[in-house]
Amino acid sequence: MESYRNQVLTAAVLVPLAVCAGLVPLRHSFDNANAALVLVLVIVAVASFGIRPAGVVAAVSSAVWFDFFLTVPYNRLTIANRGDIETTILLVVIGAAVTEIALWGRRQQARASRQTGYLAGVMTTSHAVARGGSTDDVIDQVRAELTAVLGIDGCRFVVNGKRPDEPELNPDGSVTRGEHEYKVERDGLPTDSEIELVVQHAGIVRGRFLLTAATRIARPDLEQRLVAVALADQVGAALASQETPQNHP
């Protein structure tokens, strides 16, 4: 990953240099505004990799080499024409803006992909319940889904009653311990004890998933936590249609 990042950063410096140097033979017949548009395309291409520093570096590199190669006086970091000064400044501003837009688009794409994955997990579990599949299989499947969705170490299912003073993932997605509510997206899930996720159906508690997030800080957002609640409810529906559930380690 670090090597990939370094390669993109290197390209952010060198590609604008190569483009501006390539335009030198045409600088007397090629309008600088058009050259700037070519450089904007370069910045967009670099920004599309989703690395903010690379987009900014590409914008600054484009402005520097545009000044050096394509503005009078040539081959000096000095600009005599006011229009060229404005174009150089716009290159930096537009480059920074394009970088932020590209990053926003990548975040939206990643979010849509995650939502599709969450929905697929819930639907798969729902179909298993509807088919009357084994509750053992449903529980094992949901355990795997919960671990992936919440980014935790793992979880186990138990049917015994609630333990006092343990943190709990509530139906509204909040995580509390008594009167204290955790700021999960800022501080992460508690790591000093298991987190209870109640499994219920029609208001009747059928068991609990005990979630473990001990080896690293997990910061699932509200959407992820609500997906976890929905998955637990699917297990509740499966258990309600079967005989007394069994403990799973």
Side-chain angles (χ1 to χ4, degrees):
M1 182 63 183
E2 188 64 29
S3 174
Y4 170 79
R5 180 186 175 89
N6 290 338
Q7 289 174 1
V8 175
L9 286 169
T10 301
V13 175
L14 298 182
V15 174
L17 167 61
V19 170
C20 290
L23 291 174
V24 167
L26 305 174
R27 63 190 176 189
H28 295 294
S29 59
F30 196 73
D31 189 89
N32 275 358
N34 293 329
L37 289 175
V38 173
L39 290 170
V40 167
L41 291 177
V42 172
I43 296 168
V44 170
V46 173
S48 67
F49 287 95
I51 301 174
R52 179 178 284 108
V56 174
V57 168
V60 173
S61 178
S62 295
V64 169
W65 299 121
F66 175 82
D67 175 10
F68 187 81
F69 285 113
L70 302 177
T71 67
V72 178
Y74 298 124
N75 303 324
R76 291 174 58 188
L77 293 176
T78 305
I79 305 176
N81 183 282
R82 177 174 178 175
D84 287 338
I85 293 175
E86 293 174 351
T87 301
T88 302
I89 293 173
L90 283 173
L91 268 176
V92 176
V93 173
I94 292 173
V98 164
T99 298
E100 292 305 313
I101 292 171
L103 289 170
W104 177 84
R106 289 177 71 91
R107 286 195 297 267
Q108 293 300 108
Q109 184 180 34
R111 181 180 179 183
S113 178
R114 288 196 304 270
Q115 288 176 334
T116 300
Y118 300 157
L119 179 60
V122 173
M123 292 301 296
T124 300
T125 304
S126 179
H127 291 159
V129 174
R131 290 195 304 267
S134 163
T135 54
D136 289 349
D137 292 341
V138 172
I139 290 171
D140 287 342
Q141 180 178 330
V142 169
R143 286 172 58 198
E145 293 284 349
L146 289 173
T147 301
V149 167
L150 297 174
I152 57 178
D153 298 320
C155 65
R156 59 194 181 98
F157 178 77
V158 296
V159 295
N160 55 293
K162 177 176 174 58
R163 297 177 298 174
D165 300 323
E166 294 295 333
E168 184 174 356
L169 174 53
N170 303 301
D172 63 358
S174 63
V175 178
T176 58
R177 190 199 301 253
E179 298 297 321
H180 172 70
E181 180 175 346
Y182 290 89
K183 304 297 183 183
V184 176
E185 294 181 47
R186 185 189 69 186
D187 303 325
L189 293 171
T191 59
D192 59 346
S193 61
E194 292 176 309
I195 305 155
E196 295 192 352
L197 172 57
V198 173
V199 173
Q200 58 185 335
H201 181 72
I204 301 174
V205 174
R206 307 284 176 173
R208 288 169 174 78
F209 282 105
L210 301 180
L211 316 174
T212 302
T215 63
R216 61 185 183 274
I217 302 298
R219 295 183 175 88
D221 59 26
L222 178 60
E223 182 180 50
Q224 290 170 295
R225 301 195 301 270
L226 289 174
V227 169
V229 172
L231 288 166
D233 288 344
Q234 294 291 334
V235 173
L239 293 173
S241 65
Q242 301 292 328
E243 296 181 354
T244 304
Q246 299 177 348
N247 281 2
H248 288 253

